Amino acid sequence: MKKILILLLSVIFIISFSLVGVVGCKEEAAEEEVVAEEEEVAEEEEVVAEEEEEEVAVTGSVGIVLPTKDEPRWIQDETRFNDALSAAGYDVQILFSEASSAKEKENVEALITSGVQVLIICPQDSTAAAASAEAARDAGVKVISYDRLITDTDAVDYYVTFDSVSVGAAQAQYLVDKATGTGNPLYLYAGAATDNNAFIFFQGGWNVLQPLIADGTFVIKNSSEAVAVQDTQLDATADHETIGAIIGQITTNWDFDDAKSLAEANLTVAGAADKGDVFILAPNDGTARAIADAFAADSDVTSYVVSGQDAEIPSVQYIIDGKQSMTVLKDVRTLVADAIAAAIAYLTGGAPEETTTYNNGVIDVPCKPSVVVTVDQSNVQEALIDSGYYEASEFTGLD
């Protein structure tokens, strides 16, 4: 009996010891699991903190001033700037100058007061905007001249634009490619005399057309100033006064109504012999549609080839319908992206990429021009729809 009791006590002791070991292992494993979880949480919190630190480091405020809400181009720019900058986590304020240099200056002052660090401005008047650029610089704000160059000041840090000379050249080359024979009536139109880009566009177009004007392929019908220099290539900087005199006769002021009135006035004084199959250098899409409407309404005009730029939705529809010949696509997505990249470079203490410079009358302003694409009926689907620039539903008559 005693032996049996001793045996039972031994078994109980062994079982108890085993249970203690198991519990101890479980407790140790549990403790290790808790420690691992705590370390994982700590690591995640560290990563979040680092991400938050990085986010704070690149956050900044960008102010943008665009010329007008009356042209589709600038409404498109507004949308793309808002979407892209907001998605990237930046504060953005966009104001419109309402075609007024005074309003533009007021806008810039308001943005400076609000604390923007970078100013992106498309000047209404290239020279008048110099004062606004200088005010921004004096406040420590980086100034990016957008699409149009601010002139006569050293307060411009960077210029975001398409190759304006190439735009004018593409417009003119389209006219050249469609011309046959000699004596083709040529009507010239330009942007505003207050916009430096108007001079550069005209330079690009003129220097393609000029040899064919000199050899008689084209005959200028609406500018005595242009006729006077038809044997000469022109430069927007060196020949600014000469181009200015021509623009004084053919300016549309970038305005639909001004363009139509000028075209109608030109056609009123032109004889039937100065019409027929005509060629028209129009500076942008809004003016192209207005000028096209005027020429289409003249019974002495048999046909016309008219240029444009910006690929505005109404002009794309005009191209599809055969009422406008071509446009130069300046992919605003690219231009907006370039402007944003430049702004972020400044906000993060760097400098934007530079491939060339544009002289603004005082300094050579750093720039990296974006490429342009000629669009007509033959490639409108590929260039504008297949590329995702527009939805096909925006138009009628597409194949």
Side-chain angles (χ1 to χ4, degrees), residues 323-341:
K323 297 194 289 186
Q324 182 175 323
S325 308
M326 62 85 74
T327 187
V328 177
L329 169 63
K330 303 184 304 183
D331 192 331
V332 178
R333 295 171 298 183
T334 301
L335 200 66
V336 168
D338 289 346
I340 291 172

Side-chain angles (χ1 to χ4, degrees), residues 136-221:
R137 177 197 56 192
D138 293 345
V141 176
K142 289 292 187 180
V143 178
I144 298 173
S145 193
Y146 178 71
D147 199 47
R148 301 173 183 171
L149 183 60
I150 300 171
T151 59
D152 300 327
T153 181
D154 63 355
V156 182
D157 295 290
Y158 195 69
Y159 183 30
V160 175
T161 190
F162 293 99
D163 187 338
S164 298
V165 173
S166 293
V167 171
Q171 293 172 328
Q173 189 61 52
Y174 195 88
L175 305 187
V176 169
D177 291 343
K178 298 297 181 181
T180 58
T182 59
N184 295 287
L186 176 64
Y187 290 81
L188 303 172
Y189 297 95
T194 56
D195 178 6
N196 187 66
N197 262 6
F199 287 75
I200 301 174
F201 292 143
F202 188 81
Q203 171 193 323
W206 175 263
N207 289 342
V208 170
L209 292 170
Q210 183 270 324
L212 286 91
I213 296 169
D215 73 8
T217 300
F218 294 112
V219 180
I220 299 169
K221 297 298 182 181

